[in-house]
Amino acid sequence: MRGRLALLVAAVGVLVMVAFLVPLAVLVRTVAADRATVRAAADAQGLVPVVGMADPDTVRLTVDQLAAGSGREVSVFLPDGTVLGARVPRTPAVALAARGQSLTVESAAGREVVIAVQGRPDGTAVIRTVVPRGELTAGVTRAWLVLALLGVLLVLVGLVVADRLARTLVRPIADLGAVSHRLANAELDARVEPAGPAELREVAGALNHLAERIQVLLREEREQVADLSHRLRTPLTVLRLEAESLRDPGDAARLTTAVDGLERAVTGVIRQARWRSTAAKGGGCDAAAVVGERVAFWSVLAEDTGRSVTLDLAPGPLPVRVAGDELAAAVDALLGNVFAHTPDGTPFTVRLAPHAGEVALTVADAGPGLPPGSVRRGASRAGSTGLGLDIADRAARAGGGRLELGSGPDGGAAVTLRLGAARP
């Protein structure tokens, strides 16, 4: 923007200078030529009394003195044809002046000034002088240089003023852009200091009001989510009591463990609703331990549904830049998709191994595979919520990785989470 304003001011300044300086330059040349002509005519007028009354010798002496002093060519044409001073042929201007008319004409040598002198007994004499081209343009070049320098100086001053003005406009706009980017990066406490013209100050105030409104809406939404999650604690408590009342200790222990996991998930939801997620704070965990624990949990359900589980777990620890709760939620989402979208008895494989500075977690099954667009949040073609793969994708991106979809060796789906490895 500053460059465009400077270019605009420069263009306008040059046009104004051209419109002003070109006529002024022509006027300077005209004035210089007229000044030299007037001076030459005045010198010639000084000869009129001498030419009108003196004898030829006196006239010749006076003409020679004038030519030597002025540096111009001076000639006197007497009525009898005698030429005193510079020996030049009679020009048409001299012939016209011999009839009693004084005039000034342009010639190849410069400007010719002829003056008719009447009163001599033998007729009309003519005084002729020539103003050279150099004298007509004396001082014009220097005046043009001064005008050109003045024009350049005025354009430069205009550019400086335009740059100062543009800076007062660009700086508030840049501040608005910086605060907008900070707000986009979830820095909701970012505010812009209103500055610049009234319009920009109004925009800055509107942006600050928008940021405050976003904070209020997010706070209300978090409180609502937290309240909703907190309401789940009552049915969870009832479920825990029911699980503890089972007669089979194994079933009671398994259900109690499931309730504990669900309660931890609800607690995590409340914590995330009220504060930032642990992944955003750069949390980490041992992927081998988390994956092993979650596969062991789902193995019980796999056994009940007749599924064979193949666990290929690299020896740990395998530290990754994802919080344990986040990774556990991602693993549960992937394994939950296997149970939800493949028929009972479908085998699946879970593989965890380091690879090229990353830790790759692959869940592959022998089911029908994934439909296109499966990672789009809230979209599902199997009647579910459509959030499973999105949860896994966000966990992968939070850990500096990515989610990849493909086909397994048995023709089913293969989902790979590539997580950024962390230092042990």
Side-chain angles (χ1 to χ4, degrees):
M1 185 175 180
R2 290 176 61 182
R4 292 185 178 182
L5 286 177
L7 181 61
L8 176 62
V9 171
V12 173
V14 169
L15 291 177
V16 172
M17 290 299 103
V18 169
F20 173 71
L21 293 180
V22 170
L24 185 59
V26 174
L27 178 62
V28 167
R29 185 179 63 180
T30 302
V31 169
D34 292 343
R35 185 174 61 247
T37 302
V38 170
R39 189 164 52 248
D43 293 341
Q45 288 288 347
L47 291 177
V48 171
V50 177
V51 174
M53 294 182 296
D55 58 89
D57 293 335
T58 303
V59 173
R60 179 181 294 105
L61 179 61
T62 305
V63 169
D64 292 341
Q65 290 177 349
L66 177 61
S70 63
R72 291 187 294 271
E73 181 183 287
V74 181
S75 302
V76 175
F77 296 88
L78 297 179
D80 58 1
T82 304
V83 180
L84 304 177
R87 299 287 180 173
V88 294
R90 297 174 66 90
T91 62
V94 173
L96 186 61
R99 300 176 184 177
Q101 182 179 358
S102 301
L103 68 155
T104 300
V105 297
E106 298 289 339
S107 65
R111 185 168 290 184
E112 184 178 359
V113 180
V114 291
I115 299 176
V117 180
Q118 298 178 352
R120 291 185 65 87
D122 51 352
T124 301
V126 177
I127 303 173
R128 176 184 179 272
T129 184
V130 177
V131 184
R133 294 288 180 185
E135 186 175 355
L136 289 174
T137 59
V140 173
T141 303
R142 183 175 59 186
W144 283 359
L145 289 177
V146 172
L147 291 177
L149 291 176
L150 179 61
V152 172
L153 179 61
L154 291 178
V155 171
L156 292 178
V157 171
L159 288 177
V160 172
V161 174
D163 183 72
R164 295 292 183 182
L165 177 61
R167 185 178 300 177
T168 61
L169 296 176
V170 171
R171 184 177 298 171
I173 295 176
D175 293 340
L176 287 173
V179 172
S180 299
H181 288 300
R182 291 177 61 187
L183 291 176
N185 292 328
E187 297 182 35
L188 299 182
D189 57 344
R191 296 293 184 272
V192 62
E193 185 68 25
E199 293 81 0
L200 290 180
R201 292 197 300 269
E202 183 177 356
V203 173
L207 182 61
N208 291 337
H209 178 68
L210 176 62
E212 293 173 359
R213 185 58 181 163
I214 291 175
Q215 277 190 319
V216 172
L217 293 177
L218 285 178
R219 189 181 304 115
E220 293 177 354
E221 181 181 2
R222 287 171 179 172
E223 292 299 330
Q224 290 176 0
V225 173
D227 293 344
L228 179 60
S229 302
H230 193 272
R231 294 176 187 176
L232 295 176
R233 291 190 179 278
T234 299
L236 283 176
T237 302
V238 175
L239 184 59
R240 178 187 295 276
L241 294 176
E242 292 291 337
E244 292 177 352
S245 65
L246 292 177
R247 295 181 178 180
D248 188 348
D251 292 341
R254 186 172 71 253
L255 290 179
T256 302
T257 303
V259 172
D260 289 340
L262 184 57
E263 190 171 2
R264 287 196 303 271
V266 172
T267 303
V269 170
I270 296 175
R271 187 181 301 113
Q272 276 192 334
R274 294 185 182 273
W275 299 285
R276 292 179 180 270
S277 67
T278 54
K281 295 181 180 179
C285 68
D286 179 9
V290 173
V291 173
E293 189 269 333
R294 299 317 300 163
V295 172
F297 172 81
W298 286 91
S299 296
V300 178
L301 181 59
E303 182 179 354
D304 292 341
T305 56
R307 303 172 185 267
S308 63
V309 182
T310 302
L311 177 60
D312 185 4
L313 192 63
L318 294 177
V320 293
R321 298 196 301 269
V322 182
D325 293 341
E326 294 289 329
L327 182 56
V331 175
D332 288 341
L334 296 181
L335 296 179
N337 280 342
V338 173
F339 284 88
H341 304 306
T342 61
D344 292 348
T346 303
F348 63 92
T349 302
V350 179
R351 183 179 297 105
L352 180 69
H355 177 72
E358 297 177 330
V359 176
L361 170 64
T362 302
V363 178
D365 60 62
L370 289 170
S374 301
V375 190
R376 189 158 54 91
R377 182 175 178 86
S380 175
R381 300 186 180 182
S384 63
T385 61
L387 300 179
L389 289 180
D390 181 73
I391 292 174
D393 181 51
R394 287 189 291 113
R397 287 187 284 108
R402 61 194 181 279
L403 176 70
E404 297 178 355
L405 303 179
S407 299
D410 297 327
V415 181
T416 302
L417 279 183
R418 297 194 178 276
L419 308 171
R423 293 183 178 181

